[in-house]
């Protein structure tokens, strides 16, 4: 069974640029959630995708967008990067979005630095 | 508002001492509570959840709805317990999004 993978590991961008982060969910999982973890903070929920549809969104502006593909892998896109977007971005997959107790399995994260 | 509070950024104990990592939550409905752990250079992983009422690696946590707390406890700390611990809440609804606390770094001294 393959775990959650994310790419790239690290990324450096400049303010105003756009970035795409990728996530491959664990085998058999149809739900992907994205989190932002700023330094010294806990992960914050960005949004969730369930069977290719957005299924809930946290308090993030529209320049944070995503996609989920038929194989349930996912992308996180951030436009017009700001310095405060510098963070570790975590992807988590789970079996079923509708079960609040369903375990979320996290990837290793992508470290984004915005200069 | 849904919120998870972990009041301690760092908890340092000696090997063999009892450990209690505090977690308080704010949620109007029936929450699902979790503890996640991140060991050095490893990914975030689930340690335990309140509905399972299980003990993992000697850790237990009891949901106290009256005090809105879900403290993590272990009677005798081991050096390998040193890690970052996050308390998280899942709000029942259409998504199983997790609301995390800011985390507590547990350092177990030899």
């Amino acid at each position: 069974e393959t775990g959650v993978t994310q790419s790239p590991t690290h990324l450096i961008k400049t303010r105003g640029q756009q970035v795409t982060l990728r996530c491959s969910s664990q085998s058999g999982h149809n739900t992907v959630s994205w989190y932002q973890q700023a330094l010294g903070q806990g992960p914050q929920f960005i949004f969730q995708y369930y069977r290719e549809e957005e299924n809930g969104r946290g308090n993030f502006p529209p320049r944070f967008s995503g996609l989920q593909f038929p194989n349930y892998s996912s992308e996180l896109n951030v436009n017009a990067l700001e310095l405060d977007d510098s963070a570790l971005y975590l992807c988590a997959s789970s079996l079923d979005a509708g079960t609040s107790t369903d375990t979320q399995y996290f990837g290793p994260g992508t470290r984004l630095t915005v200069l | 508002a849904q919120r998870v509070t972990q009041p301690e950024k760092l908890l340092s104990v000696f090997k063999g001492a009892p450990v209690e990592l505090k977690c308080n939550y704010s949620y109007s409905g029936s929450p699902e509570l979790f503890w996640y752990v991140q060991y050095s250079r490893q990914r975030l992983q689930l340690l335990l959840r309140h509905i399972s009422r299980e003990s993992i690696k000697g850790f237990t946590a009891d949901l106290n709805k009256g005090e809105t707390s879900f403290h993590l406890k272990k009677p005798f700390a081991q050096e390998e317990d040193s890690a970052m611990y996050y308390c998280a809440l899942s709000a029942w609804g259409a998504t199983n999004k997790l609301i995390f606390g800011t985390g507590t770094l547990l350092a177990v001294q030899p």
Side-chain angles (χ1 to χ4, degrees):
Chain A
E1 186 179 271
T2 306
V4 178
T5 60
Q6 291 186 244
S7 64
T9 307
H10 297 91
L11 205 50
I12 299 174
K13 292 285 188 178
T14 55
R15 204 168 38 175
Q17 284 189 310
Q18 178 265 342
V19 70
T20 297
L21 311 182
R22 295 178 175 83
C23 170
S24 290
S25 59
Q26 187 160 313
S27 177
H29 289 186
N30 60 24
T31 303
V32 171
S33 303
W34 285 92
Y35 295 82
Q36 181 196 64
Q37 186 173 19
L39 201 60
Q41 300 297 316
Q44 274 197 296
F45 177 74
I46 302 175
F47 45 55
Q48 182 181 84
Y49 278 83
Y50 171 60
R51 295 186 177 181
E52 302 179 59
E53 298 287 332
E54 187 177 292
N55 184 46
R57 188 178 183 92
N59 190 26
F60 280 81
R63 59 190 185 83
F64 285 78
S65 63
L67 280 174
Q68 188 178 32
F69 300 99
N71 66 355
Y72 302 132
S73 65
S74 178
E75 286 182 356
L76 163 65
N77 300 290
V78 187
N79 293 322
L81 283 167
E82 300 178 0
L83 297 180
D84 284 350
D85 295 334
S86 295
L88 181 68
Y89 288 85
L90 297 170
C91 164
S93 75
S94 53
L95 269 173
D96 186 351
T99 306
S100 65
T101 56
D102 195 25
T103 299
Q104 294 196 26
Y105 294 85
F106 283 82
T110 293
R111 172 72 63 187
L112 173 64
T113 302
V114 182
L115 302 176
Chain B
Q2 300 157 4
R3 183 175 294 171
V4 175
T5 303
Q6 293 180 253
E8 303 142 328
K9 283 193 178 299
L10 171 66
L11 182 64
S12 183
V13 301
F14 286 103
K15 178 181 172 182
V19 171
E20 183 178 48
L21 299 171
K22 291 183 167 49
C23 172
N24 288 90
Y25 66 91
S26 172
Y27 180 61
S28 57
S30 293
E32 307 290 351
L33 275 296
F34 306 82
W35 277 98
Y36 276 78
V37 62
Q38 187 167 29
Y39 300 102
S40 179
R41 285 187 283 277
Q42 293 187 29
R43 62 186 66 189
L44 199 58
Q45 59 186 284
L46 178 67
L47 178 63
L48 55 80
R49 65 184 80 188
H50 91 272
I51 61 163
S52 300
R53 298 184 182 277
E54 57 196 346
S55 172
I56 304 292
K57 299 184 179 183
F59 285 97
T60 58
D62 291 318
L63 178 60
N64 185 323
K65 292 187 178 181
E67 296 184 357
T68 59
S69 68
F70 187 57
H71 303 328
L72 183 68
K73 299 177 183 179
K74 185 170 183 176
F76 308 104
Q78 303 297 315
E79 288 180 67
E80 55 265 31
D81 296 329
S82 295
M84 195 72 179
Y85 290 81
Y86 293 96
C87 182
L89 175 155
S90 181
W92 181 260
T95 69
N96 60 344
K97 72 175 185 179
L98 291 169
I99 298 164
F100 284 89
T102 51
T104 298
L105 179 62
L106 175 64
V108 181
Q109 311 296 333

